[in-house]
Amino acid sequence: GLLILYHLGMYYVAGWPWHLKSAHAAEWLRWPMQFVNIWRMDLVFLVSGIAFGFLGKGSASPWRLIGQRAWRLLIPLVSGMYVVVSYQAYAEAVANGSVAPGFLAFMQRYLMRGPWPKGAFAGSDFGITWMHLWYLPYLFFYSTVMALLLPWLRGRAGRRLATAFTGLRGWKLLVLPALPLLLYALVLAPRFPPTHDLLHDGYLHPLYFTVFAYGYLMGTNAGLWAELARLRHTALALALGLVALFFALRALPLDLPWLLRSLRTLYLWSALVAILGLAHRHLNRPWPWLDWANESVYPWYMLHQTLIIAGAVLLARWQLGPVLEPALLTLFTAGGCWLLTDVVIRRVRWLRPLFGLNPPSRPG
């Protein structure tokens, strides 16, 4: 849900480049967008690390785990690149005048991987793009590395590392895990701007892999989760104070990039601690719709941005204004995700693996 609202905001926020931009650009959106943007993907990779920890339990071999991850991540990536995100590339290329309107003609060329005019769409230099699906190859890469490390992690040194991490309490939990992230921000971030192209992301890879490893290490350790819940209000107050100071200093004519990077990183970790602690305290219980949500989240992730862009193209011609249009676009996106997932993808056996779903369970 947050990802839908964030990418919807990318369409409307002023001054931030995206595949399409609305005529109703809003300057004020930069503040809430930046508030979320600093930690949103780190949270996703941390939760992915927790999930990998469940998969890595027991005696499963690293290569078996890598094969399972390839099936679950790379098949949806390929199908998503050739089918799901193709309309995003088409809409972007038409909007910037790189190709003529006509989706079928575009698809014939897209399936042949171009060639395209330079900058036709994000990733056009490679002929084909993964757009917002970049998370899948990144996650597969981190899962592969972690799987290969499992023999060490299951040994004495790995168990000592896990015990040291899960044993952090009080200020140590608020500060020590942030130190590697702070080092990356000060040393790597100025040299390696984010690219999301897998091969040239010298800052994001260490950052995302570290929080992925944190998720793996914390797992279901009851003591650590109890401490996260105990620190939730302290971490939340710290996070709000840090981000307020970060925004205030950014608005001043000061040339202190190291200070801004430091505040940003400390806010990132304190926000994660607050979110995890609040979630453990208030959401860690059965929900009637949880099984449905667990199975639906993967197809919704794959579909949502294409539906946002398709809805934006559809609604733009009617000039509905800056209130009605985003409201209808939100309904269009969420409704489209539900309709395609529940009515089509979940019911068609051969479609399920293309969207990361397991085969349907046999009755009885």
Side-chain angles (χ1 to χ4, degrees), residues 139-213:
L139 181 56
F140 177 71
F141 174 57
Y142 303 154
S143 299
T144 299
V145 173
M146 192 65 76
L148 295 175
L149 289 173
L150 278 179
W152 181 82
L153 290 168
R154 291 167 175 168
R156 181 180 300 176
R159 291 197 301 271
R160 271 203 300 262
L161 175 63
T163 300
F165 184 85
T166 56
L168 294 174
R169 298 293 183 267
W171 69 267
K172 293 180 181 180
L173 185 56
L174 290 171
V175 174
L176 296 184
L179 296 182
L181 314 183
L182 185 60
L183 180 65
Y184 307 151
L186 295 176
V187 176
L188 298 177
R191 295 169 173 80
F192 303 102
T195 64
H196 297 151
D197 73 356
L198 190 63
L199 299 180
H200 306 93
D201 239 348
Y203 166 59
L204 288 186
H205 278 317
L207 175 65
Y208 289 156
F209 182 75
T210 298
V211 293
F212 179 82

